[in-house]
Amino acid sequence: MSIHVFGPVDWDGHKLIAAYEYDSFFNDAGPTEIYTVVSLTINDSPFDAMSLIDPAVVQWIEDQIAAKHDASGYTEGPEFDDWRNREAA
């Protein structure tokens, strides 16, 4: 898996930037995509703030990432598209 960046998003007056992993697989219900936040920075700090952030906020960010991908057909460029197509095959 590779790491991708999402944000910044505003949360209660703070700027959050998330690093996340993307995974997809097929099951009985069809294709499933999972976006997992692996680190968060607050207000451009160089330090990982995952331990300081409420898990509900992390889930909200993961939901925002999924919605951006699902609603707009958003991709992160040709390399991401190639990787996604290989994973789906």
Side-chain angles (χ1 to χ4, degrees):
M1 276 188 246
S2 59
I3 302 294
H4 307 280
V5 177
F6 178 77
V9 294
D10 182 54
W11 183 265
D12 200 26
H14 300 285
K15 182 172 67 168
L16 302 178
I17 298 175
Y20 69 94
E21 294 178 333
Y22 166 82
D23 194 14
S24 69
F25 56 90
F26 291 89
N27 58 25
D28 293 339
T32 300
E33 297 175 334
I34 299 173
Y35 304 93
T36 306
V37 172
V38 294
S39 70
L40 282 169
T41 58
I42 301 173
N43 298 333
D44 297 321
S45 169
F47 302 105
D48 184 1
M50 278 290 284
S51 63
L52 303 174
I53 303 295
D54 186 315
V57 175
V58 174
Q59 180 62 53
W60 176 81
I61 292 171
E62 290 171 347
D63 293 344
Q64 297 301 306
I65 294 167
K68 182 168 178 96
H69 283 261
D70 292 343
S72 69
Y74 170 80
T75 67
E76 296 184 15
E79 295 84 11
F80 182 79
D81 292 337
D82 291 344
W83 174 83
R84 189 175 193 182
N85 293 335
R86 283 193 306 273
E87 289 292 310

